[in-house]
Amino acid sequence: MNNDTILSVKNLSVRYQDFEAISNISFELKRGDIAIIIGPNGAGKTTLLKAILDLLPHEGEVRILGKKISEISREERARIGYVSQKVDIIQNFPVTVKELLELSIKKTYPKSKEQKMKIEQYLDLLHISHLANKAIGELSGGQQQRFLIARALILSPEILLLDEPIAGIDITGEQTFYEFITCMNKQYGITTLLVSHDVTVVEKIASKVICVNRTLICEGKPDEVLSEEKFEELYGREASVYKHKFCKEGEPCEFYKDRGDLK
Amino acid sequence: MIYGFFLRAIVVGVISGFLCAFIGVFVILRKMAFFSHAIAHIALTGVAIGFLVNVNPLASALGFSVVVGMLIPPLIEKSRLSVDTIIGILLPSSMAIGVILLGFVKGYKPDLLSYLFGDILAVSSKDLYIILGLAVFSIVLMYFIFNETTIMSFDEDWAKVSGIRVKYLNYLFVLLLSLIVIISIKIVGIILVSALVIIPGAAAINIAKNLRETFIYSILIGILGELVGIIASYFLNIPTGPSIVLTISIIFILTLRRRK
Ligand SMILES: Nc1ncnc2c1ncn2[C@@H]1O[C@H](COP(=O)(O)OP(=O)(O)O)[C@@H](O)[C@H]1O
Ligand SMILES: [Mg+2]
């Protein structure tokens, strides 16, 4: 591990009772990498991310920013940003987007003026300024996801870990989000570790791909490691997802034709 | 003389109304309503032990509830059973032990009913000082853990990623909750105390637009309920604990109308 390494994962395993969800996963990220974790549903992608952040009991060693995560002080935690797959925030409770952001940044920015400025800036960045005073439970899924991203970014982290961050965001949102990740990476050297079930994202932005299906299937530069065989190994034999399209060309969504309410 | 006990009742009422309503917001948020109910019931064994070994029953109740309360989180972590199942076992067992132990108390027998439903007449000036001391300690502790407890209550993973020591904070929270519940047992009793913790916060949630309002409304409702309840019990000559709980319940029903 040299100075350039921002995250190193060694022999990481997680079991849920008797079930080994991930086993012996090792990889490293260099400062400035945009790495994408791909793998089918249930492959252990979320588990891997949570274990890296010490949110789950695990075996193996993780070093992030040169330290074990348990050794990173409360102040230094601002250097790590995390967007979970699900919004775990309690719904139907009167707490606003602004209040939740305030809570997150109070420690770093004790002055309320600074807090206000930061919050406005990041709400604007994610196009959710109009939702500042709305209760979190009144937001749509996509809007909540934008909130999560704002919360992860607001303390300007050096490394971002994102678990399918755009699953609920509409297409234009999706494009700008990837542009945004790339831009932050180019301008500020933000390292990103992103889980995605959408393989096309890899081609667009990744400097590194990490294929996971309970174990590490492949790791490296996308064009070097993403072969047809690896895809079969990752997603199973019949589903060569790389070429797979959801609907046939010319007859989109044929299987919907029986539904009278749809054209 | 009459005014002495009435004044003490009002003071203790306002303190417990404030503390219960404040922590109640967290208790609701963290789905610990049953937990707070259990802590109160566990206190009965502590009271009995106090009488048996000749210690102030309020102090022994506090000690016992805190110790058992602290044991619950690790027990939950190790077990396959859910929180409410574990508490559902602990609560009646502890209650049974408490009632049996009370039977062994020689000489002056404490009145079981006064512990179950509270007895405002029984707040001595000594009790008042203990309660004031505990209240000051609770408020200081609350001040220090407020921000992090709020983050932890909304999103535990986020709290962990932010470097908050969730496990340790959890213990402090249980300690705080036990303190506040024990303070209030004197007034409304073991059986009704969780109403003081839960109902003001629940009513506040019905009408608040944000977290700040939730805390403010909850505290106002808690204090108002205590004051009106104590005064009503005095003039209508009805038991104080039930009078307070009923007052708060009526306020809760009124807030339902305004729900969006
Ligand atoms: N808390 C849990 N208890 C037991 N099994 C779990 C738990 N969380 C996830 N799993 C299992 O672990 C496997 C990996 O899950 P996950 O990491 O969420 O996959 P992915 O994010 O790749 O879709 C799945 O088979 C899932 O059923
Ligand atoms: Mg997942």
Side-chain angles (χ1 to χ4, degrees):
Chain A
M1 177 160 153
N2 60 34
N3 280 343
D4 265 3
T5 308
I6 193 164
L7 171 73
S8 91
V9 175
K10 235 180 253 162
N11 303 323
L12 194 62
S13 304
V14 175
R15 20 177 75 257
Y16 297 112
Q17 285 100 43
D18 303 329
F19 174 68
E20 188 156 52
I22 54 172
S23 153
N24 257 313
I25 292 189
S26 306
F27 64 90
E28 283 193 352
L29 293 194
K30 302 245 173 294
R31 223 165 251 282
D33 265 333
I34 296 183
I36 301 198
I37 301 174
I38 56 169
N41 292 331
K45 305 181 294 296
T46 296
T47 304
L48 173 60
L49 224 55
K50 285 194 172 181
I52 288 173
L53 289 164
D54 202 21
L55 299 174
L56 287 175
H58 56 268
E59 278 168 42
E61 199 193 56
V62 176
R63 294 181 83 81
I64 188 162
L65 300 160
K67 290 178 189 165
K68 276 189 171 171
I69 193 154
S70 57
E71 291 163 0
I72 300 177
S73 71
R74 178 109 161 77
E75 285 71 31
E76 268 188 297
R77 294 295 178 121
R79 296 165 66 192
I80 306 171
Y82 170 54
V83 177
S84 56
Q85 180 170 11
K86 280 201 328 261
V87 181
D88 277 333
I89 299 165
I90 308 244
Q91 308 283 319
N92 63 46
F93 194 97
V95 62
T96 64
V97 168
K98 203 164 113 195
E99 283 178 321
L100 285 169
L101 289 176
E102 264 165 19
L103 280 169
S104 299
I105 64 172
K106 244 182 201 162
K107 188 108 186 162
T108 318
Y109 301 104
K111 290 202 193 104
S112 70
K113 213 174 154 189
E114 283 175 310
Q115 287 172 20
K116 204 167 163 252
M117 216 184 67
K118 277 277 159 195
I119 290 171
E120 275 170 15
Q121 186 186 345
Y122 279 85
L123 287 180
D124 187 47
L125 185 71
L126 273 298
H127 301 287
I128 48 173
S129 301
H130 58 295
L131 304 173
N133 292 313
K134 273 216 169 195
I136 189 82
E138 290 168 19
L139 268 51
S140 74
Q143 290 170 332
Q144 290 201 358
Q145 209 124 25
R146 282 170 190 266
F147 157 76
L148 288 185
I149 295 167
R151 188 179 65 173
L153 293 176
I154 196 164
L155 292 176
S156 318
E158 288 164 45
I159 179 165
L160 260 178
L161 295 92
L162 307 137
D163 196 350
E164 307 209 23
I166 43 92
I169 295 185
D170 37 64
I171 301 294
T172 43
E174 194 172 319
Q175 273 165 358
T176 42
F177 181 67
Y178 289 133
E179 277 164 24
F180 178 71
I181 293 279
T182 318
C183 162
M184 289 221 307
N185 176 263
K186 290 226 172 80
Q187 282 194 18
Y188 306 105
I190 312 286
T191 312
T192 304
L193 179 61
L194 180 93
V195 171
S196 174
H197 64 262
D198 174 14
V199 187
T200 55
V201 178
V202 177
E203 299 167 55
K204 285 183 201 149
I205 64 169
S207 66
K208 180 170 193 148
V209 63
I210 295 159
C211 323
V212 174
N213 197 351
R214 297 184 61 184
T215 59
L216 191 70
I217 306 285
C218 66
E219 182 221 355
K221 286 209 171 78
D223 48 351
E224 285 171 18
V225 298
L226 285 186
S227 60
E228 195 84 17
E229 300 90 73
K230 285 292 175 198
F231 258 94
E232 282 188 13
E233 198 180 336
L234 190 58
Y235 287 98
R237 212 154 44 82
E238 74 277 23
S240 183
V241 174
Y242 214 19
K243 291 178 175 169
H244 181 81
K245 289 213 173 84
F246 195 66
C247 298
K248 268 192 221 159
E249 213 113 25
E251 45 179 72
C253 310
E254 236 351 74
F255 58 92
Y256 254 43
K257 68 180 173 208
D258 290 341
R259 283 189 54 179
D261 54 332
L262 289 168
K263 283 220 171 125
Chain B
M1 196 55 213
I2 292 269
Y3 290 107
F5 93 77
F6 192 67
L7 204 65
R8 280 200 294 273
I10 294 281
V11 171
V12 175
V14 169
I15 292 172
S16 95
F18 166 75
L19 292 172
C20 287
F22 188 93
I23 194 119
V25 175
F26 288 119
V27 171
I28 294 171
L29 197 47
R30 309 189 63 204
K31 300 193 169 70
M32 285 171 78
F34 196 31
F35 190 98
S36 67
H37 197 56
I39 285 187
H41 285 70
I42 289 163
L44 187 69
T45 309
V47 168
I49 292 171
F51 275 105
L52 283 174
V53 300
N54 222 354
V55 175
N56 184 305
L58 209 57
S60 59
L62 177 66
F64 194 72
S65 284
V66 168
V67 169
V68 179
M70 297 280 193
L71 288 176
I72 297 175
L75 216 65
I76 291 163
E77 215 166 281
K78 289 207 180 68
S79 170
R80 293 188 149 196
L81 302 171
S82 69
V83 187
D84 58 340
T85 308
I86 288 178
I87 293 174
I89 295 164
L90 273 176
L91 187 156
S93 327
S94 167
M95 204 61 188
I97 297 171
V99 174
I100 290 172
L101 286 183
L102 276 179
F104 287 119
V105 177
K106 294 205 170 62
Y108 167 70
K109 291 248 182 202
D111 178 12
L112 185 58
L113 270 186
S114 86
Y115 281 96
L116 291 182
F117 294 103
D119 186 0
I120 206 94
L121 282 164
V123 180
S124 63
S125 28
K126 202 170 163 192
D127 288 334
L128 182 64
Y129 291 130
I130 295 179
I131 288 172
L132 280 176
L134 292 178
V136 169
F137 179 77
S138 305
I139 290 169
V140 171
L141 183 56
M142 219 138 73
Y143 174 79
F144 280 108
I145 69 173
F146 177 71
N147 208 33
E148 304 193 328
T149 306
T150 315
I151 297 176
M152 169 176 81
S153 305
F154 277 112
D155 191 340
E156 200 164 305
D157 275 357
W158 180 252
K160 286 183 189 161
V161 173
S162 313
I164 293 170
R165 292 178 197 284
V166 166
K167 218 171 176 174
Y168 165 75
L169 193 56
N170 230 331
Y171 283 118
L172 284 181
F173 184 78
V174 170
L175 173 68
L176 186 59
L177 181 57
S178 310
L179 275 173
I180 290 173
V181 164
I182 301 298
I183 288 174
S184 311
I185 281 179
K186 265 291 182 197
I187 307 173
V188 293
I190 285 166
I191 292 179
L192 297 180
V193 70
S194 68
L196 283 190
V197 176
I198 304 304
I199 301 175
I205 288 172
N206 283 339
I207 52 175
K209 285 192 289 295
N210 54 45
L211 188 62
R212 211 177 125 253
E213 283 183 13
T214 309
F215 276 106
I216 292 172
Y217 292 153
S218 179
I219 289 167
L220 287 179
I221 292 167
I223 292 177
L224 185 73
E226 294 259 6
L227 286 178
V228 174
I230 291 171
I231 292 167
S233 88
Y234 182 73
F235 285 107
L236 302 177
N237 199 21
I238 52 175
T240 315
S243 169
I244 294 169
V245 171
L246 214 57
T247 310
I248 299 177
S249 303
I250 290 168
I251 298 175
F252 175 80
I253 291 167
L254 292 178
T255 61
L256 280 176
R257 274 175 4 107
R258 290 212 37 195
R259 187 149 206 186
K260 279 175 289 178

